[in-house]
Amino acid sequence: MRSNTVGWLMLAPTIAILGIFGIAPFLYVLYVAFHQWNPFGASPLMIYNGADNFRRLVFDPEFLRSVAVTAKFAFFAVVSEIALGYLLAQLFMREFPGRGFFRTIHTLPLIVAPIVVGSVWRLMTTPSIGIIPYLLKQWFDYDMNIGRDAGTAFALTVIMDIWHWTPLVTLTLLAALLALPKEPFEQAQIDGANRWQIFWHVTLPMIRPAILATVFIRLMDALRTVDEVWMLTSGGPGDATRYVGLHIWKIVFPKTDYGYGAAISVIVLYLTLVMCWILYVSLVARRERKRVA
Amino acid sequence: MIKKSGIGLAALTLALMTTALPARADFWSDAGAKYKGVVLHGVTESTPPSNYIKDVLAPEFEKKTGIKVEIETTSWDQMYDKAIKDMEAKTGIYDMIYIEQDIIYAYLARNFLVDITKSLKDDPSLKSPDYDESHYTTFANYFKNADGDIFGTPMEAFIKVYLYRTDLFNDPKIQEAFKKETGKDLKPAVTHEDYTEIAEFFTKYGKDNGLDLWGTTAQAHTGHPASWYEFFESIAPTFGVFNWGVDASKNYAASVENGGTMNSAESKAAMKYWLHLRDIAPPESAASTWTEVGTTFAAGRVAQGLVYGENAAWIASDAEKSKVVGNVGVALPPTEAKVLEDVKAGKGYLGYYDGGAFGLPVTSKNKEASLLFLQFIGQDSVQPDWAVAAPRITNTATYDDPKIVDMDKKLNGYYSMLKNDGKLFAGAPPYPFHAQVREATAPIFYKILLGEIPSDEGLDQMAAAAEAELKNLGYRK
């Protein structure tokens, strides 16, 4: 009984912080989501409108388009980051001159603020000014214009995200790889397994928790990306890169449609949870059940 | 003896007076003494006038009063984001905020701002003898309520002007080529037809001669509100479409059907004119906002263009940033002939008079000290150097200062134009739903820019979207 009290007392600060900064704002957003509220409208009052905001978003083509393009962005960005991050982690496992230096250099993008990343990439990709369009023109006679070409703008946002966040994946997987015991690998080699078999049957199962954790983190980040993309394309051309985070920002901030923006935020949170749950069930729970059986 | 006593008495009286009265070094040190040690926080957009406040006026004020002023200069959207969130949440982080001319009506509608005139009347001890609201130019009217009380100290004020390259326009070889091509003399455009002809000529001239030169700028970003503003604030008015085509007197009608002009024949002609210019502008135009347009001009990549006046000074005078120093001419934007007549007769406007003020949020925790700072930056004495450092004039006396007269020559008459023709320009209409209507129509606007919707059809859709949004907001019945 006494130990319970001490335990609760120890937990109290964390619970209070979670309550104030996590749960309370979420409950407030949920409350706003069931209201029509535009403080800059003729009537700034908050009016309860049931599930109208949720009904509205189901038929809102702008929202649906933003979800679709975000899913596409998250897929390409996260898959590329995991693959590239793993390869780099493997590379940094090996001994080569200057390994420590390259490991450090490689993590530099992580410490750059997203808004700066967006600004720098914008500078590098602005037609007539940026180095990238210049080189593409010189080498391939290709006129890159992110103000006009939706495909290029989308690809650039993915590349920018990969550049910024792959080091995080590398660091996580490097830590996971370094922590692996040597025995299973030696055993596999003795058994005559080739590189691919070792990767598939030994390495991958052992680092799967680290990969999954990284996927979850990167997926959640990718689904709510705003600042980098805002700086690079502002959501354009047209709505080609109007990702859902940016869409919510535009609904809530310039349009000041707080009720609808809150409803979209809640749904996006729900979709993110569902996506993570599906991933968890398909990649972890099923295997765990199989293992137990 | 009597004389001696008299002198002694006078000396005694003087000594008594100087000891009995508080020392009055000047108003600022006296008024500031009470707030010594207070730190004021301000947030503003990173622009030349704001940077001057941060780098020059704030330290000067601190030296005189002991009140520290920390100014945060950030991007346009961040500035809004932070200020509005702070005022809504009533956190009171900021004591001063930048109020752009077009957001003031929304702020006033929500009672976000302190009435500066009233506050100074209520507490005369805070009123500086060197501060007088009547010294402001008429631009200050945008920051007043119906009673004439001011809610912000004007700090930026500029018009969007027509800049052209004098070195190109005065080049005999180019003049001859232009004459041969068009049968006309090469001179700054007065009408849209002139402007288009000149733009087409220079774009072709650049291409034929292998130059990095185009005929016009275009602020035509396909995902950023800057392009929306260029059309509705700079292009449409020159065709006679004012206030974004929304008529408040006709139940906020936007469509022609209901009495608005957003999709009028004039608006549609304006869009076609602008899209054509965009197509013969430098390739970066499709990704250009207000800043990039200035940069494009400064890099010598265009022969002419519509550029915000806040950039005019550095383009014309700062050789470190601009390749066209000494070669920049200033003129009024080209218009339809009838529109210019109407505007001169006081019906409408031909371009955008932009700018902003520094206001005091009602949520500020240091209102009195902030009122001192707002007066400090509003005095006549600090204006000339500020206007030289950043091209803005907010006080009438500034125009006649020798430094400004000299600068005006370097800028080929930009300040004179501001003084004499400023009345032909106008700020945003007094609508509290500014950002909402823009955001409701912008996605369609971007589709027009990308060619996904024909421009006429797009404008029809925009007018309908604007009316729907206004209805949704409760303004349109």
Side-chain angles (χ1 to χ4, degrees):
Chain A
M1 185 67 186
R2 190 177 170 276
S3 64
N4 267 353
T5 312
V6 173
W8 280 112
L9 279 175
M10 302 275 280
L11 272 176
T14 310
I15 292 172
I17 289 168
L18 264 177
I20 294 166
F21 297 107
I23 297 165
F26 173 72
L27 292 177
Y28 184 64
V29 169
L30 202 59
Y31 174 75
V32 173
F34 287 96
H35 291 78
Q36 184 193 326
W37 185 31
N38 194 322
F40 288 92
S43 164
L45 298 176
M46 210 187 259
I47 302 159
Y48 177 75
N49 68 349
D52 276 3
N53 289 328
F54 294 94
R55 265 195 289 274
R56 182 178 156 195
L57 67 83
V58 174
F59 302 103
D60 179 354
E62 277 185 8
F63 167 69
L64 297 175
R65 238 189 338 263
S66 77
V67 170
V69 77
T70 308
K72 201 165 86 172
F73 168 78
F75 173 78
F76 283 113
V78 175
V79 168
S80 311
E81 283 159 20
I82 297 293
L84 199 58
Y86 178 77
L87 290 175
L88 285 167
Q90 281 288 3
L91 180 71
F92 288 138
M93 287 275 289
R94 296 170 187 207
E95 284 292 342
F96 61 90
R99 184 175 73 159
F101 173 75
F102 283 113
R103 273 187 187 177
T104 311
I105 289 287
H106 169 257
T107 57
L108 286 182
L110 282 180
I111 56 172
V112 184
I115 204 96
V116 178
V117 171
S119 307
V120 170
W121 275 80
R122 182 169 177 188
L123 198 64
M124 292 196 303
T125 55
T126 299
S128 319
I129 299 163
I131 181 81
I132 296 175
Y134 174 78
L135 292 177
L136 287 174
K137 181 74 185 167
Q138 294 293 316
W139 294 342
F140 308 108
D141 197 27
Y142 173 68
D143 286 313
M144 189 185 102
N145 194 332
I146 56 166
R148 295 190 180 204
D149 186 348
T152 311
F154 173 79
L156 265 174
T157 59
V158 174
I159 293 168
M160 177 174 67
D161 199 78
I162 293 170
W163 176 84
H164 195 188
W165 294 112
T166 299
L168 177 80
V169 180
T170 310
L171 284 182
T172 318
L173 298 187
L174 186 61
L177 288 171
L178 286 170
L180 293 182
K182 283 183 181 171
E183 293 78 12
F185 294 93
E186 288 166 356
Q187 188 64 49
Q189 276 176 325
I190 291 165
D191 291 344
N194 62 26
R195 277 179 155 192
W196 171 250
Q197 286 167 326
I198 291 176
F199 166 73
W200 192 250
H201 296 290
V202 182
T203 315
L204 200 58
M206 290 170 80
I207 62 166
R208 201 172 63 231
I211 292 179
L212 274 174
T214 316
V215 167
F216 286 153
I217 292 168
R218 285 304 310 130
L219 186 64
M220 285 186 282
D221 274 346
L223 290 174
R224 61 190 176 88
T225 187
V226 176
D227 24 20
E228 284 167 307
V229 177
W230 170 251
M231 284 310 296
L232 182 62
T233 64
S234 302
D239 53 13
T241 57
R242 188 170 164 137
Y243 300 134
V244 77
L246 202 56
H247 183 67
I248 293 172
W249 183 83
K250 287 189 174 185
I251 295 285
V252 172
F253 182 60
K255 251 186 132 180
T256 59
D257 195 345
Y258 286 22
Y260 188 48
I264 298 180
S265 304
V266 170
I267 285 298
V268 169
L269 174 69
Y270 176 73
L271 290 176
T272 309
L273 286 174
V274 167
M275 228 179 271
C276 289
W277 179 250
I278 291 170
L279 268 176
Y280 176 77
V281 168
S282 59
L283 296 176
V284 182
R286 213 163 46 187
R287 280 173 185 263
E288 285 297 315
R289 272 201 301 272
K290 266 187 195 171
R291 198 172 61 83
V292 172
Chain B
M1 184 69 186
I2 295 168
K3 204 176 176 183
K4 269 187 181 174
S5 310
I7 292 168
L9 198 65
L12 184 67
T13 313
L14 195 66
L16 280 172
M17 276 177 72
T18 49
T19 48
L21 291 174
R24 287 199 67 90
D26 71 351
F27 167 80
W28 299 109
S29 57
D30 290 351
K34 210 167 141 189
Y35 310 102
K36 206 167 182 173
V38 166
V39 182
L40 299 177
H41 298 277
V43 64
T44 183
E45 188 185 358
S46 180
T47 59
S50 294
N51 289 330
Y52 188 83
I53 295 181
K54 182 185 179 180
D55 301 335
V56 181
L57 297 177
E60 258 180 40
F61 179 73
E62 186 184 348
K63 215 164 135 188
K64 290 194 170 179
T65 60
I67 302 169
K68 192 170 170 57
V69 182
E70 286 182 351
I71 302 288
E72 182 183 337
T73 52
T74 182
S75 68
W76 175 75
D77 43 308
Q78 283 282 311
M79 168 271 291
Y80 272 135
D81 194 28
K82 289 183 167 192
I84 291 178
K85 277 178 185 161
D86 180 48
M87 293 187 290
E88 278 188 342
K90 299 186 174 67
T91 38
I93 293 169
Y94 295 115
D95 302 296
M96 284 153 324
I97 52 155
Y98 177 67
I99 316 167
E100 198 163 0
Q101 183 274 323
D102 40 25
I103 198 79
I104 177 87
Y105 313 107
Y107 284 3
L108 289 178
R110 296 206 56 200
N111 299 316
F112 275 166
L113 302 172
V114 168
D115 182 335
I116 295 173
T117 311
K118 186 175 176 302
S119 303
L120 294 177
K121 251 184 220 164
D122 291 348
D123 188 351
S125 71
L126 289 172
K127 171 81 173 61
S128 160
D130 300 325
Y131 173 80
D132 190 339
E133 283 175 10
S134 69
H135 289 192
Y136 290 139
T137 62
T138 52
F139 183 67
N141 294 341
Y142 288 112
F143 302 97
K144 291 177 179 172
N145 67 0
D147 300 331
D149 283 6
I150 205 156
F151 285 76
T153 299
M155 53 168 262
E156 274 190 356
F158 51 86
I159 49 180
K160 193 166 181 185
V161 284
Y162 167 29
L163 297 187
Y164 61 94
R165 291 263 304 273
T166 51
D167 56 332
L168 298 176
F169 276 63
N170 296 335
D171 185 329
K173 233 173 77 188
I174 293 176
Q175 283 178 336
E176 197 187 318
F178 185 78
K179 181 94 176 176
K180 203 174 154 193
E181 185 109 5
T182 64
K184 293 178 183 172
D185 291 329
L186 178 59
K187 55 186 179 186
V190 176
T191 65
H192 293 125
E193 197 189 340
D194 296 341
Y195 191 88
T196 307
E197 244 172 12
I198 296 169
E200 284 171 345
F201 169 78
F202 274 110
T203 298
K204 186 171 177 293
Y205 183 84
K207 203 173 173 186
D208 291 348
N209 293 282
L211 301 171
D212 249 1
L213 180 72
W214 283 264
T216 179
T217 60
Q219 185 178 298
H221 198 295
T222 48
H224 190 282
S227 50
W228 191 98
Y229 284 116
E230 168 131 312
F231 180 72
F232 282 108
E233 291 178 346
S234 306
I235 305 296
T238 62
F239 280 80
V241 179
F242 308 114
N243 301 328
W244 317 335
V246 176
D247 194 334
S249 68
K250 291 174 187 162
N251 190 24
Y252 293 105
S255 65
V256 173
E257 191 186 13
N258 294 319
T261 52
M262 191 179 271
N263 60 341
S264 62
E266 290 81 8
S267 187
K268 287 174 178 174
M271 183 64 87
K272 286 191 183 95
Y273 160 78
W274 186 56
L275 288 175
H276 173 63
L277 293 178
R278 188 273 313 261
D279 290 341
I280 55 170
E284 68 265 31
S285 301
S288 287
T289 69
W290 22 70
T291 316
E292 287 84 16
V293 161
T295 315
T296 293
F297 196 98
R301 295 168 57 76
V302 286
Q304 55 177 1
L306 294 180
V307 178
Y308 284 98
E310 65 179 336
N311 295 315
W314 67 263
I315 289 173
S317 62
D318 189 342
E320 278 184 21
K321 294 181 186 170
S322 171
K323 287 185 181 172
V324 293
V325 171
N327 295 319
V328 181
V330 183
L332 291 176
T335 59
E336 290 295 287
K338 192 184 171 309
V339 171
L340 188 59
E341 283 169 30
D342 285 351
V343 169
K344 283 186 173 168
K347 294 178 224 160
Y349 52 92
L350 59 78
Y352 189 45
Y353 204 143
D354 195 12
F358 232 26
L360 173 53
V362 289
T363 47
S364 160
K365 291 166 186 159
N366 301 297
K367 292 194 185 69
E368 290 82 10
S370 303
L371 278 168
L372 290 177
F373 184 69
L374 293 180
Q375 291 178 84
F376 185 80
I377 65 171
Q379 314 172 86
D380 283 339
S381 58
V382 303
Q383 303 300 325
D385 287 335
W386 194 359
V388 169
R392 32 73 67 210
I393 288 185
T394 56
N395 293 30
T396 47
T398 318
Y399 287 118
D400 300 325
D401 188 276
K403 287 177 190 166
I404 299 305
V405 172
D406 185 45
M407 189 71 180
D408 192 42
K409 282 178 201 153
K410 281 186 196 159
L411 301 182
N412 272 324
Y414 172 72
Y415 287 131
S416 300
M417 180 179 279
L418 194 63
K419 183 181 182 184
N420 302 325
D421 297 319
K423 58 182 180 291
L424 303 179
F425 293 76
Y431 299 153
F433 44 73
H434 189 108
Q436 291 78 5
V437 168
R438 186 197 73 213
E439 273 312 303
T441 53
I444 307 166
F445 183 76
Y446 301 144
K447 283 183 183 170
I448 296 175
L449 298 193
L450 289 168
E452 290 173 10
I453 311 177
S455 61
D456 289 5
E457 194 187 321
L459 282 165
D460 291 341
Q461 287 183 20
M462 284 173 70
E467 285 178 350
E469 182 66 13
L470 286 165
K471 206 166 181 181
N472 187 39
L473 289 166
Y475 291 102
R476 185 172 164 77
K477 305 296 173 208

